[in-house]
Amino acid sequence: MRQLQIFPVLRTLGFVFWSSLPLIGLVFWLGSGLVEDQILSRAYTHKKYLQADTQLARQIMKKIVAIEVKVLPQEGISLVNVKTNHSPLKKMTFEFPITEPDQLEANLSHELGLSRERVRELIRY
């Protein structure tokens, strides 16, 4: 008879609820362990080479405003300042061991990814 009186007391204290929480926690712990084993046992395939975001570089190159060139024939170099209207990158500086304008324009067009005509439009000596 005494056992029958204990059950209503346990129910009022929420014994069923509180006793089921460790069981639910155990199920989640075991389930997450199985998922973790599956994820960590996968083969890790990666690319061998680091690839830069070329699309972002092309967007920056499209926003070039001006190219200023200072030729130093005594030293055999040309200093090139490229101004952009791209917010993080306002100015780029290059140094080429070339003093001839045609070769300089070709190198700049290759370096900046622009056509030679576009470089000729923007360049100032």
Side-chain angles (χ1 to χ4, degrees):
M1 268 318 201
R2 202 153 224 232
Q3 285 181 338
L4 297 175
Q5 292 174 351
I6 293 176
F7 286 121
V9 172
L10 291 176
R11 287 186 185 170
T12 59
L13 292 175
F15 179 72
V16 174
F17 172 74
W18 292 108
S19 64
S20 65
L21 283 181
L23 181 63
I24 293 170
L26 181 66
V27 168
F28 275 108
W29 180 56
L30 291 174
S32 66
L34 292 173
V35 170
E36 177 186 8
D37 288 341
Q38 288 294 321
I39 290 173
L40 292 178
S41 66
R42 287 184 186 172
Y44 180 68
T45 58
H46 61 87
K47 295 182 180 178
K48 291 183 180 181
Y49 303 103
L50 178 65
Q51 294 180 349
D53 187 8
T54 55
Q55 189 176 26
L56 179 63
R58 287 183 185 152
Q59 288 175 355
I60 291 172
M61 296 309 162
K62 288 181 182 176
K63 297 179 180 183
I64 293 176
V65 177
I67 301 172
E68 296 176 359
V69 177
K70 185 176 184 181
V71 179
L72 304 172
Q74 297 86 4
E75 298 172 13
I77 61 171
S78 297
L79 301 174
V80 181
N81 292 323
V82 179
K83 293 182 182 178
T84 66
N85 61 357
H86 191 262
S87 61
L89 184 63
K90 294 284 185 188
K91 187 177 181 182
M92 294 183 286
T93 305
F94 298 99
E95 183 177 322
F96 292 104
I98 300 168
T99 56
E100 296 179 21
D102 290 335
Q103 289 181 347
L104 186 62
E105 289 173 4
N107 283 345
L108 275 173
S109 66
H110 181 266
E111 189 72 32
L112 298 175
L114 297 173
S115 65
R116 287 189 76 171
E117 292 79 25
R118 181 73 177 140
V119 170
R120 284 187 192 125
E121 290 173 7
L122 296 171
I123 201 164
R124 284 185 244 150
Y125 290 97

